[in-house]
């Protein structure tokens, strides 16, 4: 491939020519093995699979035209590691190392499908050969994740062959900055990081602001626990972010961009770094891009480990070498941001949508979604659901479809209790509202928010008061500590919730939580503080009975809070095997062999070891 | 961190903005804040972390007022909200007062031993707090940051700063050791609104100590009477910054104000006075 | 003295002494030394001409910075929502109990530094524990302790070999 790589593209025709060359090469290599190396599959060892496949390709006979590549997150992490074989888009799931030779022999060499590795629908037993036959994928519409799973993110040639950077070429050769902003405005794109601010409006304000230089930032500080959408995009298709930023910078009049990646995502940093280098080599970043008068460069900064740096002004403080403290936003960052210069900050997923909007038009984009929320949204669907992973769906889809059709329903036969959306700034939505449409505004009316896209499904065994306590503790740890309200208010809220979950709640606690919530919303300095009470207030709104049980009856209905339930051995189920007795750290269990054992409640510290270890499920939570 | 000000809405020749605050109309100059307008209108808004000598961070959240946005009202901090066009402010509305009272109650729980804070609270009508004290670190410090800002922006030493994050945040010298950059000027103690920072003079050792930062500095003592005057570093800074080469200036620095006065008096007394013939 | 100066000079040069790159500079320093030593920070303050109090504020604000030497191994347990719901607190307790180390601290014998992190983005395979960059998914209190005992065993074996 020496004729294509390391050659600077000096104009738009060069780019097109390069794509044609790449595509013609592709026709020759019809067979390929795509191994998912996204976060979920990598954690299950898919990188080793990739190595093994590469070896197999190396050792194959010369007449076998096949390649193996590592690709970004497909989404169905629950069934990972995922391997897709072309031709035929054959979708193999839960692939293990011993399967590699079989797949190579049967599918690549003999064109046969390995049946046992295909996805089987748990309800119907039906096997799916291609991804699109699987309900998880059927409902999805992939724009931001379009190339995830198709391209090797470490090779810019793959992105270009797929059509990458053609939007940039179109913009630089035939559109004025105002035209670019208008196209994004027609699309109706709104920020995907949680704020939902109209992107075109932000770009326009920044363009019109006085001051120079202007900066463009990509917020890759995905801190919401349970969310890994941005990670999948940064690692699976880093060029989509770069191309988006290039287009935005052109529209705004900026020559310097930053990508801020949270410290806990070193692979994202690596992939982005590699992508930037390759883009520079081809002249897609740097001076006089594609022969035009537009120059743009990107730097990557790693975070230091602070959730609050996802807030735009805190992020900018971090980029200035200061602690990540937010500041008042009475003067917007588009006017005075990084180094007090006009700055435009957008989320990873927002940037990833931009090239598609340019290529296919704002009208096309606006054809999906609802009246005020256009396009699609990537969600990370996790928790007590059968199919966990990443999904991209049109805005306006109901929660029920996501949980049932895509998620495949609850796992372990448990009952649905709530779905937590929007991370620590969001809230819990109960079963009665499952038909709510997911978009920027609907969920907010219900006391939650769509946020950055994290969706955590909870079942009947989850104590909602404890969920509120968890998020409050999280926010207290991550609060920057600058403003009185957030720092002291969250400490007071946590104090109350701690007491409640320990069985020391008092009448009036719920009302006090409400007062603190109001104070937080009205007087906190930044969005972290302002929305901090959402988890607590939404759980009080829909699960007040659980709070009352904790406070008035000293009982945890979900049997999660220690001290508010007990362990008892069911004498009918107990086989007297003695495993619990042997493992109890407090010697609190007594019993003869083959006779039902009994727990001494006074000695029991509720560690739960017996409950975990009992092979006959004879230990009950009461 | 400087105030983020924009003069976008105010150009030369354009009329100055008017702030209608609790019904009173006042005109303010460009870049003014709601707090400036309130002062001009004679309306008192309690503040803690605000001081005209240093930048405003609005971290204490005490000066909350309601900004009228037509269909709704937004709670904003008066000390750093920049006035760029005509606005209407409700400083004494029920909601604004409630917000301020709530914040003050949180502060009282944080700093239960500060007399100054209690006095301010009473002036606001907050006699006590119903919140328990739940934070352990650095009691009685409300983390307003005035000491940090004065040391950095006015004195230029930046001897102390914030340490940590969130509820365990404190104000400390680097590595919690006595600061090497502290010159013992006591500006931090002077600006602290809750009386947490104290200046202690150790007569026997001729040292000045700033607590709780554990910084100690040697004091210059009067050559005449032995009373401590000011820290040696401050006097050195004075000489450095004022660029006076006048030998007598150096001489005079070695005496305390009282002795200096008596010396001047003696000199005057000994001076020969010529009478006009 | 000279070594510290040299390392700091290298790092400062790498980023053209830009104050905005302070955090990457400190990350490089920590990668080199294992933590942020006081003397190095002093040099950095002098070379960049920013007050030491600012460096200290930054070093203590961000969770990834350590001001004390770390352990031989780095153990990170995810406490994100999904991992939490799937039992991460019990794992954390078990580790604290067995090895007498709190999250954020290092074991007495410097075997490992134990960190609790809020979400590593691998929620689909919760609970997640990372040891020296290697991911372990679906851990339980028992399996987590096993992994850590393995580290202790490796250390003992290495020490024995050294002695021989």
């Amino acid at each position: 491939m020496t004729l294509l790589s390391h050659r600077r593209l000096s104009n738009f025709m060069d780019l097109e020519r390069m794509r044609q060359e790449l595509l013609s090469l592709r026709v020759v290599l019809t067979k390929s093995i795509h191994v998912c190396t996204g976060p979920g599959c990598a954690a299950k060892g898919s990188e080793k699979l990739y190595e093994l496949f590469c070896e197999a390709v190396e050792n194959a006979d010369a007449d076998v035209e096949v390649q193996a590549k590592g690709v970004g997150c497909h989404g169905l992490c629950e069934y990972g590691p995922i391997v897709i074989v072309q031709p035929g888009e054959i979708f193999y799931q839960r692939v293990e190392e011993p399967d590699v030779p079989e797949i190579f022999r049967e599918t690549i060499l003999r064109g046969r499908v390995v049946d046992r590795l295909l996805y089987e629908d748990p309800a119907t037993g039906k096997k799916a050969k291609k991804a699109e036959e699987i309900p998880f994928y059927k409902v999805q519409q992939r724009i931001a994740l379009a190339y995830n799973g198709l391209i090797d993110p470490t090779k810019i040639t793959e992105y270009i062959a797929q059509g990458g950077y053609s939007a940039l070429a179109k913009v630089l050769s035939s559109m004025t900055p105002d035209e670019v902003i208008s196209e994004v405005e027609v699309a109706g794109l709104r920020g995907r990081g949680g704020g939902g601010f109209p992107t075109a409006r932000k770009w326009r304000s920044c363009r019109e602001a006085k001051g120079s230089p202007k900066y463009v930032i990509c917020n890759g500080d995905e801190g919401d626990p349970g969310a890994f959408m941005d990670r999948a995009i940064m690692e699976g298709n880093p060029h989509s972010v770069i191309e988006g930023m290039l287009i935005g910078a052109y529209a705004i009049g900026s020559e310097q961009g930053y990508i801020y990646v949270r410290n806990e995502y070193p692979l994202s940093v690596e992939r982005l770094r590699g992508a930037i280098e390759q883009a520079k080599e081809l002249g897609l970043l740097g001076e006089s891009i594609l022969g035009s008068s537009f120059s743009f460069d990107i730097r990557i900064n790693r975070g230091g480990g602070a959730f609050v740096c996802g807030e735009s002004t805190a992020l900018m403080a971090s980029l200035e070498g200061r602690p990540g403290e937010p500041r008042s936003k009475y003067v917007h960052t588009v006017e005075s941001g990084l180094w007090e210069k006009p700055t435009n900050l957008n989320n990873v997923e927002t940037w990833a949508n931009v090239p598609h909007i340019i290529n296919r038009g704002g009208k096309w984009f606006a054809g999906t979604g609802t009246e005020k929320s256009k396009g699609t949204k990537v969600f990370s669907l996790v928790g007590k659901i059968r199919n966990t992973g990443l999904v991209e769906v049109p805005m306006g889809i109901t929660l029920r479809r996501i949980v049932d059709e895509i998620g495949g329903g609850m796992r372990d036969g448990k009952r649905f209790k709530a779905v937590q959306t929007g991370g620590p700034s969001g809230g819990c939505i109960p079963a009665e509202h499952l038909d709510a449409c997911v978009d920027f505004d609907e969920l907010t009316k219900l006391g939650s928010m769509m946020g950055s896209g994290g969706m955590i499904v909870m079942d009947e065994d989850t104590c909602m008061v404890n969920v509120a306590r968890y998020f409050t503790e999280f926010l207290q740890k991550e609060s920057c500590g600058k403003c009185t309200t957030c720092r002291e208010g969250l400490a007071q809220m946590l104090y109350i919730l701690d007491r409640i979950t320990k069985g020391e709640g008092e009448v009036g606690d719920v009302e006090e939580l409400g007062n603190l919530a109001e104070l937080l919303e009205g007087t906190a300095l930044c969005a972290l503080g302002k929305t901090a009470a959402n988890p607590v207030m939404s759980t009080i709104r829909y699960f007040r009975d659980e709070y009352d049980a904790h406070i008035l009856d000293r009982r945890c209905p979900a049997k999660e809070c220690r001290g508010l339930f007990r362990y008892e051995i069911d004498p009918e189920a107990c086989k007297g095997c003695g495993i619990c007795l042997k493992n109890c750290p407090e010697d609190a269990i007594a019993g003869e062999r083959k006779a039902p054992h009994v727990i001494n409640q006074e000695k029991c510290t509720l560690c739960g070891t017996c409950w975990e270890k009992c092979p006959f499920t004879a230990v009950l939570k009461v | 961190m400087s105030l983020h000000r924009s003069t976008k809405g105010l150009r030369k020749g354009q009329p100055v903005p008017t702030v209608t605050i609790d019904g009173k109309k006042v005109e303010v100059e460009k870049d003014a804040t709601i707090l400036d307008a309130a002062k001009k209108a004679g309306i008192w808004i309690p503040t803690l972390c605000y001081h005209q000598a240093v930048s405003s961070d609005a971290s204490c959240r005490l000066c909350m007022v309601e900004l009228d946005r037509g269909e709704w009202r937004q709670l904003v901090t008066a000390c750093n909200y920049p006035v760029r066009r005509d606005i209407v402010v409700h400083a004494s509305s029920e909601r604004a007062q409630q917000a301020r009272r709530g914040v003050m109650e949180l502060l009282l729980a944080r700093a239960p031993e500060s007399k100054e804070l209690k006095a301010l609270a009473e002036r606001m009508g907050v006699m006590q707090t119903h919140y328990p004290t739940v934070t352990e670190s650095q009691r009685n410090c409300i983390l307003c940051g005035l000491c940090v800002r004065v040391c950095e922006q006015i004195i230029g030493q930046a001897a102390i700063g914030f340490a940590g994050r969130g509820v365990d945040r404190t104000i400390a010298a680097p590595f919690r050791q006595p600061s090497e950059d502290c010159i013992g000027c006591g500006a931090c103690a002077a600006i602290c609104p809750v009386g947490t920072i104290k200046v202690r003079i150790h007569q026997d050792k001729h040292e000045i100590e700033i607590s709780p930062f554990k910084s100690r500095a040697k004091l210059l003592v009067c050559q005449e009477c032995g009373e401590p005057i000011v820290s040696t570093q401050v006097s050195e800074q004075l000489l450095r910054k004022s660029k006076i080469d006048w030998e007598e200036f150096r001489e005079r620095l070695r005496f305390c104000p009282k002795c200096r006065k008596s010396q001047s008096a003696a000199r005057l007394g000994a001076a020969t006075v010529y009478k006009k013939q | 003295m000279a070594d510290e100066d040299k390392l700091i000079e290298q790092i400062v040069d790498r980023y053209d002494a830009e104050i905005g790159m302070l955090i990457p500079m400190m990350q490089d320093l920590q990668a080199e030394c294992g933590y942020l030593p006081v003397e190095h920070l002093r040099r950095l303050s002098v070379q960049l001409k920013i007050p030491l109090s600012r460096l200290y504020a930054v070093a203590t604000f961000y969770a990834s910075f350590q001001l004390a030497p770390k352990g031989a191994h780095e153990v990170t347990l995810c406490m994100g929502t999904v991992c939490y719901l799937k039992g991460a607190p019990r794992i954390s307790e078990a580790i604290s109990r067995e090895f007498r180390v709190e999250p954020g601290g290092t074991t007495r014998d410097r075997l490992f530094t134990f960190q609790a992190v809020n979400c590593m983005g691998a929620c689909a395979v919760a609970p997640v524990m990372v040891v020296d960059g290697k991911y372990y998914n679906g851990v339980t209190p028992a399996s987590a302790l096993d992994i850590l005992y393995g580290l202790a065993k490796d250390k003992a074996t290495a020490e024995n070999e050294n002695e021989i």
Side-chain angles (χ1 to χ4, degrees):
Chain A
M1 290 257 224
T2 41
L3 36 91
L4 298 168
S5 59
H6 305 288
R7 197 189 72 186
R8 223 190 121 91
L9 301 170
S10 44
N11 57 48
F12 326 119
M13 302 308 292
D14 273 357
L15 180 65
E16 192 47 41
R17 225 173 283 133
M18 183 172 176
R19 176 166 316 112
Q20 295 307 328
E21 280 174 0
L22 288 166
L23 286 174
S24 61
L25 264 168
R26 207 168 252 210
V27 170
V28 178
L29 280 171
T30 47
K31 299 194 197 183
S32 67
I33 307 163
H34 301 194
V35 183
C36 178
T37 53
C41 294
K44 290 189 192 178
S46 67
E47 317 224 290
K48 191 69 211 280
L49 291 178
Y50 174 58
E51 276 171 39
L52 291 172
F53 273 113
C54 284
E55 263 174 47
V57 168
E58 283 270 326
N59 297 334
D61 290 333
D63 61 336
V64 180
E65 304 270 7
V66 64
Q67 63 166 336
K69 48 178 167 176
V71 295
C73 182
H74 281 96
L76 191 46
C77 313
E78 180 64 37
Y79 287 82
I82 294 180
V83 175
I84 297 189
V85 180
Q86 296 275 34
E89 287 169 49
I90 305 168
F91 187 93
Y92 288 132
Q93 46 89 58
R94 299 217 168 110
V95 177
E96 293 173 22
E97 289 177 35
D99 301 324
V100 175
E102 190 178 342
I103 293 176
F104 201 82
R105 195 184 55 237
E106 294 298 311
T107 314
I108 296 293
L109 298 178
R110 297 188 189 158
R112 289 210 286 250
V113 169
V114 180
D115 224 49
R116 63 179 174 82
L117 289 172
L118 291 178
Y119 172 87
E120 183 182 308
D121 192 316
T124 64
K126 191 157 160 257
K127 296 254 185 191
K129 196 172 144 208
K130 294 189 186 183
E132 58 207 41
E133 295 166 30
I134 304 174
F136 181 84
Y137 289 107
K138 253 194 243 171
V139 193
Q140 292 194 45
Q141 200 174 318
R142 291 153 78 89
I143 301 178
L145 293 179
Y147 301 165
N148 267 44
L150 292 177
I151 64 169
D152 180 339
T154 61
K155 301 199 173 81
I156 190 173
T157 44
E158 298 247 325
Y159 185 67
I160 291 179
Q162 208 69 34
Y165 289 110
S166 55
L168 175 66
K170 181 174 172 185
V171 160
L172 291 179
S173 63
S174 62
M175 294 173 84
T176 64
D178 280 316
E179 280 167 351
V180 172
I181 297 179
S182 296
E183 198 67 50
V184 175
E185 193 170 32
V186 166
L189 180 65
R190 286 169 70 173
R192 295 291 193 256
F197 194 84
T199 309
R201 205 195 303 172
K202 199 186 262 192
W203 288 13
R204 189 169 283 127
S205 303
C206 194
R207 177 173 174 70
E208 289 169 1
K210 298 246 176 318
S212 124
K214 295 192 180 168
Y215 297 109
V216 153
I217 300 181
C218 170
N219 187 342
D221 193 70
E222 182 175 58
D224 284 356
F228 56 103
M229 305 76 61
D230 291 347
R231 182 179 169 179
I233 295 175
M234 288 191 281
E235 291 174 12
N237 190 358
H239 286 285
S240 63
V241 176
I242 295 172
E243 191 179 1
M245 285 175 78
L246 275 158
I247 295 171
Y250 173 77
I252 289 164
S254 157
E255 291 191 350
Q256 179 64 53
Y258 291 87
I259 303 181
Y260 188 86
V261 183
R262 69 188 283 241
N263 189 46
E264 293 82 350
Y265 284 175
L267 184 55
S268 298
V269 174
E270 203 184 297
R271 292 270 165 91
L272 283 164
R273 242 186 219 137
I276 289 175
E277 256 174 58
Q278 292 183 343
K280 276 207 182 119
E281 267 171 22
L282 287 181
L284 291 162
L285 272 176
E287 305 279 323
S288 311
I289 295 171
L290 286 178
S292 72
S293 60
F294 172 59
S295 305
F296 184 64
D297 196 11
I298 298 181
R299 290 172 100 166
I300 301 181
N301 271 58
R302 267 173 65 197
F307 170 80
V308 69
C309 284
E311 200 274 347
S312 61
T313 56
L315 194 158
M316 292 179 204
S318 188
L319 283 177
E320 291 176 5
R322 292 186 283 118
E325 284 172 19
R327 62 158 180 84
S328 307
K329 277 174 154 167
Y330 301 139
V331 177
H332 298 295
T333 50
V334 286
E335 278 179 50
S336 174
L338 184 63
W339 304 114
E340 292 180 24
K341 300 290 181 196
T343 307
N344 179 83
L345 179 144
N346 279 120
N347 163 269
V348 169
E349 195 185 329
T350 313
W351 287 121
N353 271 294
V354 171
H356 295 276
I357 290 175
I358 296 296
N359 270 332
R360 298 167 79 167
K363 240 171 111 184
W364 157 80
F365 189 83
T368 309
T370 66
E371 166 89 35
K372 295 217 185 107
S373 308
K374 299 291 182 198
T376 58
K377 178 80 190 78
V378 182
F379 293 101
S380 71
L381 189 57
V382 291
K384 303 293 179 72
I385 205 160
R386 276 225 187 88
N387 301 332
T388 60
L390 282 185
V391 303
E392 188 174 357
V393 288
M395 295 269 205
I397 192 174
T398 62
L399 276 170
R400 195 182 295 281
R401 282 194 88 184
I402 296 181
V403 172
D404 287 340
E405 269 182 64
I406 301 178
M410 305 300 289
R411 64 167 57 196
D412 302 331
K414 298 280 183 181
R415 238 181 332 117
F416 173 91
K417 190 162 187 188
V419 57
Q420 208 279 343
T421 68
S425 304
C428 299
I429 309 226
E432 72 215 52
H433 290 296
L434 271 175
D435 288 306
C437 297
V438 183
D439 68 8
F440 287 108
D441 310 301
E442 282 300 307
L443 296 183
T444 313
K445 287 190 203 142
L446 294 171
S448 178
M449 67 192 278
M450 191 171 70
S452 65
M455 279 194 178
I456 306 174
V457 179
M458 301 172 178
D459 65 14
E460 55 195 276
D461 291 334
T462 314
C463 172
M464 301 314 286
V465 184
N466 198 29
V467 167
R469 199 202 69 85
Y470 165 82
F471 279 115
T472 308
E473 185 173 30
F474 173 88
L475 287 166
Q476 200 217 46
K477 282 209 193 100
E478 297 293 338
S479 162
C480 76
K482 178 167 157 182
C483 79
T484 307
T485 314
C486 177
R487 188 185 67 236
E488 306 299 328
L490 280 173
Q492 296 288 346
M493 281 184 103
L494 185 60
Y495 175 73
I496 297 175
L497 288 164
D498 265 341
R499 277 194 292 105
I500 296 178
T501 52
K502 284 201 192 117
E504 293 159 25
E506 289 157 17
V507 173
D509 274 348
V510 173
E511 285 69 30
E512 189 54 62
L513 287 170
N515 289 340
L516 285 163
E518 212 182 302
L519 201 56
L520 274 165
E521 200 191 353
T523 66
L525 191 147
C526 79
L528 186 154
K530 284 203 184 41
T531 58
N534 280 355
V536 180
M537 294 320 285
S538 72
T539 49
I540 290 179
R541 178 170 167 179
Y542 298 117
F543 300 97
R544 179 63 188 265
D545 53 312
E546 286 197 42
Y547 280 86
D548 287 339
H550 280 75
I551 296 172
L552 303 170
D553 302 335
R554 304 274 187 267
R555 190 177 55 88
C556 172
K559 306 192 187 50
E560 212 185 288
C561 299
R562 249 194 218 177
L564 305 191
F565 69 96
R566 291 182 329 210
Y567 288 106
E568 271 179 16
I569 298 179
D570 181 357
E572 314 233 325
C574 175
K575 300 274 186 280
C577 67
I579 288 182
C580 57
L581 194 156
K582 266 183 248 163
N583 283 285
C584 176
E586 305 297 324
D587 283 325
I589 304 182
E592 301 291 320
R593 276 202 71 186
K594 303 265 171 114
H597 283 38
V598 178
I599 298 174
N600 180 344
Q601 295 297 336
E602 317 244 309
K603 281 185 160 183
C604 176
T605 57
L606 298 161
C607 68
T609 310
C610 54
W611 177 77
E612 247 179 61
K613 299 249 180 209
C614 177
F616 304 105
T617 342
V619 180
L620 303 172
K621 286 185 179 174
V622 167
Chain B
M1 197 163 46
S2 65
L3 257 172
H4 289 264
R5 297 185 149 136
S6 166
T7 55
K8 186 184 166 204
L10 307 156
R11 311 215 194 291
K12 258 208 175 110
Q14 273 208 349
V16 290
T18 307
V19 178
T20 309
I21 177 164
D22 284 352
K24 290 200 181 132
K25 273 191 169 47
V26 282
E27 280 182 355
V28 289
E29 34 180 79
K30 58 180 187 169
D31 296 344
T33 63
I34 292 180
L35 190 64
D36 295 330
K39 283 194 184 143
K40 210 169 174 189
I43 294 175
W44 178 69
I45 300 177
T47 61
L48 269 174
C49 71
Y50 168 80
H51 194 285
Q52 64 248 39
V54 296
S55 61
S56 291
D57 260 357
S59 58
C60 76
R61 313 312 287 170
L62 194 57
C63 63
M64 307 295 311
V65 295
E66 277 193 298
L67 177 66
D68 202 316
R69 291 227 182 252
E71 283 174 11
W72 61 291
R73 294 188 187 180
Q74 183 190 4
L75 280 168
V76 300
T77 42
C79 68
N80 73 341
Y81 190 93
V83 183
R84 300 141 106 200
R85 62 177 85 84
D86 292 351
I87 55 170
V88 178
V89 175
H90 307 276
S92 313
S93 67
E94 186 53 48
R95 186 164 169 238
Q97 289 197 50
Q98 229 181 3
R100 295 199 291 265
R101 271 186 238 129
V103 172
M104 179 47 95
E105 282 202 45
L106 285 176
L107 285 167
L108 285 171
R110 166 93 197 192
E113 283 144 39
S114 164
K115 288 200 288 283
E116 290 89 338
L117 191 64
K118 275 206 193 75
L120 179 63
E122 275 169 34
R123 195 175 162 196
M124 285 168 61
V126 179
M127 296 308 165
Q128 62 187 36
T129 175
H130 68 284
Y131 294 117
T133 302
V134 294
T135 43
E136 283 310 313
S137 68
Q138 210 163 50
R139 270 166 77 122
N140 285 316
C141 170
I142 57 166
L143 291 168
C144 67
L146 277 171
C147 54
V148 175
R149 296 204 294 283
V150 81
C151 191
E152 183 180 344
Q153 296 171 14
I154 304 293
I155 307 296
Q157 291 299 109
I160 48 172
F162 285 104
R165 183 177 82 195
V167 124
D168 296 323
R169 195 163 226 225
T170 56
I171 309 232
F175 305 101
R176 320 237 166 194
Q177 302 295 305
S179 170
E180 294 149 11
D181 294 318
C182 174
I183 59 171
C185 67
C188 50
I191 208 172
C192 176
V194 291
T196 298
I197 305 179
K198 296 194 188 8
V199 168
R200 289 206 182 93
I201 302 206
H202 297 277
Q203 288 277 29
D204 49 333
K205 290 208 192 112
H206 295 312
E207 271 183 358
I208 187 172
E209 184 199 341
I210 318 275
S211 86
F213 307 127
K214 300 183 262 185
S215 22
R216 291 209 175 200
K218 272 271 176 252
L219 282 171
L220 214 58
V221 284
C222 177
Q223 279 194 339
E224 184 75 34
C225 68
E227 276 299 306
I229 312 168
V230 82
S231 78
T232 48
Q233 291 103 309
V234 169
S235 72
E236 276 158 31
Q237 258 212 11
L238 252 170
L239 289 169
R240 233 191 357 251
K241 285 188 177 172
S242 47
K243 295 191 178 65
I244 295 178
D245 236 346
W246 186 24
E247 196 43 53
E248 191 163 345
F249 185 71
R250 281 174 206 277
E251 273 289 313
R252 298 215 181 164
L253 259 185
R254 295 204 222 107
F255 299 98
C256 75
K258 217 167 99 184
C259 293
R260 237 183 287 145
K261 259 196 218 147
S262 24
Q263 281 184 359
S264 300
R267 257 198 294 264
L268 265 172
T272 322
V273 179
Y274 288 90
K275 280 202 187 113
K276 198 171 178 188
Q277 298 291 349
Chain C
M1 233 24 100
D3 284 332
E4 283 145 6
D5 262 322
K6 217 165 148 226
L7 175 61
I8 296 296
E9 239 183 79
Q10 255 176 16
I11 293 176
V12 169
D13 271 337
R14 196 177 296 157
Y15 297 100
D16 295 324
E18 265 187 66
I19 297 195
M21 301 304 271
L22 178 63
I23 290 161
M25 282 188 220
M26 286 168 76
Q27 283 164 340
D28 281 2
L29 174 60
Q30 180 155 297
E32 193 69 33
C33 302
Y35 69 109
L36 295 173
V38 176
E39 277 315 307
H40 287 78
L41 285 179
R42 265 191 234 276
R43 293 283 177 287
L44 189 58
S45 150
V46 166
Q47 287 204 26
L48 286 176
K49 298 198 190 46
I50 48 180
L52 191 59
S53 57
R54 158 103 153 251
L55 290 181
Y56 188 65
V58 169
T60 53
F61 183 89
Y62 295 100
S64 70
F65 289 133
Q66 307 260 350
L67 288 168
K70 290 199 279 196
H73 299 275
E74 206 170 329
V75 174
T76 313
L77 181 68
C78 181
M79 293 290 261
T81 318
V82 187
C83 291
Y84 183 90
L85 290 175
K86 289 202 170 172
R90 300 263 286 285
I91 303 173
S92 178
E93 267 171 39
I95 296 177
S96 290
R97 198 175 48 229
E98 277 301 304
F99 291 94
R100 287 182 230 261
V101 59
E102 294 300 311
T106 303
T107 54
R108 256 268 159 90
D109 59 357
R110 293 269 166 80
L111 178 63
F112 64 87
T113 298
F114 179 35
Q115 294 267 49
V117 179
N118 283 318
C119 193
M120 288 188 257
C123 320
V125 292
V128 174
M129 186 169 87
V130 181
V131 179
D132 297 333
K134 184 164 174 217
Y135 275 73
Y136 293 92
N137 58 69
V139 286
T140 62
S143 69
L145 290 178
D146 274 339
I147 296 165
L148 297 175
Y149 286 136
L151 293 177
K153 205 173 98 180
D154 287 341
K155 182 175 179 219
T157 319
E159 279 169 358
N160 281 339
E161 280 169 4
N162 279 338
E163 277 172 22
I164 297 171

